[in-house]
Amino acid sequence: MGKKHISISEFMNALNQNMENINIRIFHFNPIQVNTLVLYDGTGEAILVDPGNCQSYEDAQLEEFVRQHNLTVKAIVNTHPHIDHIAGNNWCHRTFDAPVWCHEAGMPIYNKSYAYAMAFGLSVDEMPQPAKYLHEGDEVRFGNQTLQVLYTPGHCDGSISLYDAANGYVICGDLLFEGSVGRSDLPTGNGRLLIEMIKTKILTLPDNTNIYPGHGGLTTVGDEKLYNPFLV
Ligand SMILES: [Zn+2]
């Protein structure tokens, strides 16, 4: 059997088709510059991951984006309970009438967020209590999308990653960064566990999987395997 020849445009379509089904908008919020993600698809249903907005101009940016795209926010998902990742929970919960979903193991830190906020020089409202706890193997669904929950502690208890196999991307919070790894010196951090989680749950995903870290630029599983000095 001969190989089927395809045109350049067919080839490009094949390359791009995976990410055609999902839109991911990144905002950089608060002085710690967290990556706040808005994920949405053609249905208009969306989730917010790690809303770090804590200034009124940041609230306005997020609200304008959601209104302009006519999105219905189904949930607010926190990758972990550090204040820079949850600072906007209350505002988003009130403004979009959306529940908070997160991992239960992070609740001791989540419930002390007021004290952590002061330590970081942020002022935040009282946090809404989560409506649902996410566990390893659970699915986060919105629109036509399904994200798989991976439990990936090491940076702190209650840290999760969200993997979309169909579209080929993973959101990993502060577990892993482009060319670096997350801190493990904060309460409940564990450096050995952090590296183990990266190696067993992230680097085992296909090499072309796009990684959305909690701070900084995007990367891929293949690039981190090749170039991350902490993972050799
Ligand atoms: Zn963190």
Side-chain angles (χ1 to χ4, degrees), residues 80 82 84-85 155-156 174 186 215:
H80 65 290
H82 283 158
D84 49 325
H85 295 253
H155 175 61
C156 69
D174 290 357
L186 298 167
H215 303 267

Side-chain angles (χ1 to χ4, degrees), residues 104-189:
E104 190 170 11
M107 288 311 292
I109 297 173
Y110 187 89
N111 287 330
K112 282 187 219 144
S113 55
Y114 182 75
Y116 284 109
M118 298 229 300
F120 279 105
L122 304 175
S123 80
V124 295
D125 303 326
E126 195 181 326
M127 288 293 154
Q129 283 302 296
K132 183 159 93 173
Y133 291 128
L134 300 172
H135 305 100
E136 170 85 21
D138 283 353
E139 288 178 344
V140 169
R141 292 166 177 264
F142 64 97
N144 296 320
Q145 310 301 313
T146 304
L147 304 180
Q148 190 187 335
V149 176
L150 310 174
Y151 187 48
T152 51
H155 175 61
C156 69
D157 282 353
S159 295
I160 57 169
S161 298
L162 301 166
Y163 176 50
D164 179 339
N167 293 305
Y169 68 93
V170 64
I171 298 165
C172 67
D174 290 357
L175 179 70
L176 173 67
F177 302 115
E178 183 185 14
S180 186
V181 297
R183 291 175 64 168
S184 54
D185 60 327
L186 298 167
T188 74

Side-chain angles (χ1 to χ4, degrees), residues 4-6 10 13 19 40-41 56-57 106 113 119 127 131 138 160 169-170 187 195 197 214 218 227:
K4 178 177 176 277
H5 291 273
I6 60 169
E10 280 176 312
N13 282 340
M19 288 301 277
Y40 61 102
D41 68 7
S56 56
Y57 71 87
S113 55
M127 288 293 154
D138 283 353
I160 57 169
Y169 68 93
V170 64
I195 298 294
M197 287 297 122
L218 308 188
Y227 304 121

Side-chain angles (χ1 to χ4, degrees), residues 17-211:
Q17 72 182 17
N18 280 344
M19 288 301 277
E20 268 176 19
N21 301 317
I22 180 76
N23 302 289
I24 304 178
R25 170 62 192 259
I26 305 175
F27 291 91
H28 306 285
F29 283 151
N30 73 54
I32 308 164
Q33 294 286 285
V34 77
N35 288 335
T36 292
L37 308 179
V38 183
L39 278 64
Y40 61 102
D41 68 7
T43 67
E45 230 175 37
I47 60 169
L48 306 179
V49 178
D50 290 351
N53 47 304
C54 63
Q55 306 280 350
S56 56
Y57 71 87
E58 295 173 335
D59 298 343
Q61 271 181 20
L62 190 54
E63 183 164 19
E64 188 183 341
F65 184 85
V66 167
R67 304 284 179 227
Q68 261 183 3
H69 291 80
N70 213 10
L71 302 179
T72 303
V73 179
K74 187 176 176 190
I76 298 155
V77 181
N78 297 139
T79 61
H80 65 290
H82 283 158
I83 189 62
D84 49 325
H85 295 253
I86 66 172
N89 272 18
N90 194 21
W91 183 88
C92 291
H93 173 67
R94 283 188 280 113
T95 304
F96 304 124
D97 193 24
V100 172
W101 298 349
C102 63
H103 196 282
E104 190 170 11
M107 288 311 292
I109 297 173
Y110 187 89
N111 287 330
K112 282 187 219 144
S113 55
Y114 182 75
Y116 284 109
M118 298 229 300
F120 279 105
L122 304 175
S123 80
V124 295
D125 303 326
E126 195 181 326
M127 288 293 154
Q129 283 302 296
K132 183 159 93 173
Y133 291 128
L134 300 172
H135 305 100
E136 170 85 21
D138 283 353
E139 288 178 344
V140 169
R141 292 166 177 264
F142 64 97
N144 296 320
Q145 310 301 313
T146 304
L147 304 180
Q148 190 187 335
V149 176
L150 310 174
Y151 187 48
T152 51
H155 175 61
C156 69
D157 282 353
S159 295
I160 57 169
S161 298
L162 301 166
Y163 176 50
D164 179 339
N167 293 305
Y169 68 93
V170 64
I171 298 165
C172 67
D174 290 357
L175 179 70
L176 173 67
F177 302 115
E178 183 185 14
S180 186
V181 297
R183 291 175 64 168
S184 54
D185 60 327
L186 298 167
T188 74
N190 180 326
R192 183 197 52 76
L193 185 61
L194 182 104
I195 298 294
E196 182 191 323
M197 287 297 122
I198 295 170
K199 287 187 171 173
T200 59
K201 298 207 173 160
I202 304 296
L203 298 190
T204 49
L205 302 175
D207 278 356
N208 61 356
T209 303
N210 290 307
I211 299 176

